Amino acid sequence: MVRDPDEPQVTSSLEDEVDTDERAADDDATDDADAADEEAAAESAAPAGATADAAQAEPDTEAAEEETDASDDSAAADEPDHQPGVPSDVQKYDRFKKVDGSQYDRVNEFLRDRTYITAREWAIARLCSDFRTETGVEMTKIGENLPELVPFMTDTYTPQAVNQARSSFEDKVRTAGATFLYGAMSDFFTAEELDDVMYEATEVAKFLLEVEGVELSVEDELEAEDRISAVMREVRSSSAELRHERCPECGAELSGGD
C-alpha cells in the first residue's frame, strides 16, 4: 500500500508524544529522586547532629561525675578518722609508735635487762603523766583504752590495776634512786667511774624517751649530759665532806673519837 505523501504522519506524532511523556516522566522521576535525596540527607543530618550533641554532652557528664567524685574524696579526706566509743584525745595520742607491732614480752625483756621496771609499769607511768588533769589522773580512760594507747598492750585494765602499776613504778624509782645515790656518795666509785655510770644511765633514759616519741637534738643531749655530770661531781664532793665531818642522820659534827 502506497502512503499518500500528504497524509499526516501519525506515527511521528505518537513518537513525539511518547518522547514528551517519557521526558516528562523522566523529569518527574528526577524531581522525585532529588526530593528523596533531600529527605534522606535531612534524615541523616538529624541523627548526625544528635550524635554530635550526645558526644558533646557525654564528656560534660563524665566531667561532672569526676568533679562529684573528687568532691566526695576531698570531703572524705577532710573528715578525721573516727572510731565509735574512743575519745578524741585517745585517737590523737601518738606515743609509742616506734614499737608498733612489737610484742609485750620483747619490750619487757629489754627493760628487764636495763632497768628495774616492767613494760606495763613503763607504759602506764607515761600515760598517767600525759593524762593528768587538775582533778587527778584519768585512770578509767587509761585502763579502758590501753590497747589503743600503747601498741604492745593487748588487754584493758581496771582503774585499780592502773593505780597499782603506777604505784609500783614510783616505788621502784625511789628504790633505784636511793641505791644509785648511795653508790655515788659512798666513795665506792671514782669520779671517772661515776661518769661512766651516769653516761650509761643517760643513754638508756634517752632511748626510752625517743621510743615514746620525744625528739632530742644533739645540742640538747650534750647539754643534759654536762648538767648531770656537774651535779654528780657536786654530789660526790659534798658527800665526801658529809662522810668525814657530819652525821648522816642529824648533820652534827663528828669528832675523830666518835
Side-chain angles (χ1 to χ4, degrees):
M1 177 177 167
V2 179
R3 186 179 297 277
D4 188 357
D6 296 332
E7 183 178 356
Q9 299 294 325
V10 177
T11 304
S12 298
S13 297
L14 290 174
E15 291 177 354
D16 292 338
E17 289 177 2
V18 170
D19 293 338
T20 301
D21 293 339
E22 289 178 352
R23 287 195 297 272
D26 293 337
D27 293 337
D28 293 338
T30 301
D31 293 338
D32 293 339
D34 293 339
D37 292 338
E38 290 178 359
E39 290 178 0
E43 290 177 358
S44 61
T51 303
D53 294 339
Q56 183 177 2
E58 185 175 355
D60 295 340
T61 304
E62 293 179 354
E65 291 177 353
E66 292 177 356
E67 291 179 359
T68 302
D69 294 341
S71 300
D72 295 341
D73 294 340
S74 177
D78 294 338
E79 293 180 358
D81 294 336
H82 180 71
Q83 302 177 15
V86 179
S88 59
D89 54 349
V90 172
Q91 297 184 43
K92 296 177 182 178
Y93 193 74
D94 58 354
R95 294 194 187 273
F96 300 104
K97 299 303 181 184
K98 292 186 178 181
V99 289
D100 191 8
S102 298
Q103 296 180 352
Y104 177 88
D105 292 340
R106 293 186 60 187
V107 178
N108 199 50
E109 182 180 358
F110 174 86
L111 290 172
R112 287 287 194 182
D113 291 341
R114 295 164 178 82
T115 70
Y116 283 127
I117 60 176
T118 64
R120 174 180 70 99
E121 294 162 349
W122 172 42
I124 290 180
R126 178 74 268 171
L127 294 173
C128 288
S129 177
D130 291 341
F131 287 88
R132 185 187 300 275
T133 65
E134 296 179 355
T135 58
V137 178
E138 298 177 290
M139 295 188 182
T140 301
K141 178 184 291 186
I142 292 172
E144 291 178 349
N145 299 282
L146 193 56
E148 285 77 19
L149 292 167
V150 183
F152 55 81
M153 299 296 291
T154 58
D155 297 328
T156 59
Y157 274 39
T158 64
Q160 291 78 12
V162 172
N163 186 51
Q164 181 182 5
R166 183 186 69 162
S167 178
S168 178
F169 175 85
E170 292 178 352
D171 291 342
K172 290 182 178 180
V173 169
R174 293 179 184 276
T175 303
T179 304
F180 169 77
L181 193 57
Y182 170 74
M185 297 176 65
S186 65
D187 202 26
F188 178 82
F189 295 102
T190 65
E192 291 75 14
E193 291 173 339
L194 192 59
D195 284 342
D196 291 340
V197 171
M198 285 304 305
Y199 175 79
E200 293 176 2
T202 302
E203 287 299 307
V204 173
K206 288 191 302 183
F207 178 78
L208 295 180
L209 290 174
E210 290 174 353
V211 171
E212 292 176 3
V214 177
E215 299 294 336
L216 298 175
S217 64
V218 177
E219 292 77 9
D220 292 339
E221 292 181 9
L222 295 176
E223 182 182 357
E225 291 175 1
D226 292 340
R227 293 175 63 183
I228 292 174
S229 297
V231 170
M232 294 313 301
R233 284 193 295 268
E234 183 65 24
V235 168
R236 189 172 185 278
S237 175
S238 299
S239 64
E241 298 177 0
L242 182 63
R243 286 195 310 273
H244 299 292
E245 297 180 3
R246 298 181 181 276
C247 173
E249 296 294 334
C250 61
E253 292 186 359
L254 300 176
S255 63
D258 297 333

